[in-house]
Amino acid sequence: MSVRFVIDPLDFVRKTEVHHGRIPLAEFSRLQDFLYENHGDVVYQVSGFLDQDDKPRLRMKITGEAQLCCQRCLGGLAHSIDIDTSLLLAKTERELILADEDNSVDVILATAEINVVDLIEEEIILSLSISIRHSEGKCDVHQSKYYDPDPAEIANPKNPFAVLSALKKKSH
Ligand SMILES: [Zn+2]
């Protein structure tokens, strides 16, 4: 069973509605690729308001804990989701294009029906860093056969005997 929560965003703003809830991580289909395991859930709050320029906006607050998949060792990597963003609602395609030129503004087209769950998933994916991985030297190398050794470590082996055995192999 998948969660669906559809709003008319402009109507939502007009009524200055606030909606909050909890969504299991397992419900986000596109997010699964980034997860090591999908236990747990996120808490969200969506509110509609007019900004100082009288432009309609949706404020999204999303928090939770997720176990991401490290791209280097494929092990689990604890990550805190903590998003607080506000999306400008463009009423027309033209408004969307104009607002989109300003990189500091997050803008979406205010279609009559917006699935807030999709929007939340989108924001979570956008918030993840491009390279999700443990910090240097923190990967569990024994956990995965896909471990990709750091090229700097091969060039500079810490173990002098490794160099020695490499030299010995060459001489034969
Ligand atoms: Zn790792």
Side-chain angles (χ1 to χ4, degrees), residues 21-26 28 38-44 62-66 81 124:
R22 192 178 277 271
I23 304 172
L25 286 171
F28 299 113
N38 63 9
H39 302 305
D41 43 25
V42 293
V43 174
Y44 71 88
I62 309 156
T63 54
E65 298 293 325
I81 297 166
I124 295 172

Side-chain angles (χ1 to χ4, degrees), residues 117-135:
V117 180
D118 284 346
L119 215 53
I120 290 169
E121 180 169 34
E122 188 74 31
E123 287 302 323
I124 295 172
I125 291 173
L126 284 175
S127 78
L128 300 177
S129 95
I130 296 163
S131 98
I132 303 159
R133 47 174 65 178
H134 292 110
S135 47

Side-chain angles (χ1 to χ4, degrees), residues 70-77 133-135 138-140:
C70 169
Q71 287 174 1
R72 188 158 40 203
C73 70
L74 300 185
L77 173 63
R133 47 174 65 178
H134 292 110
S135 47
K138 290 284 170 0
C139 282
D140 183 356

Side-chain angles (χ1 to χ4, degrees), residues 8-10 56 88-92 96 107-114:
D8 173 344
L10 294 175
L88 180 67
L89 295 166
K91 290 173 194 163
T92 60
L96 179 73
V107 58
I108 57 166
L109 187 63
T111 49
E113 283 195 340
I114 281 185

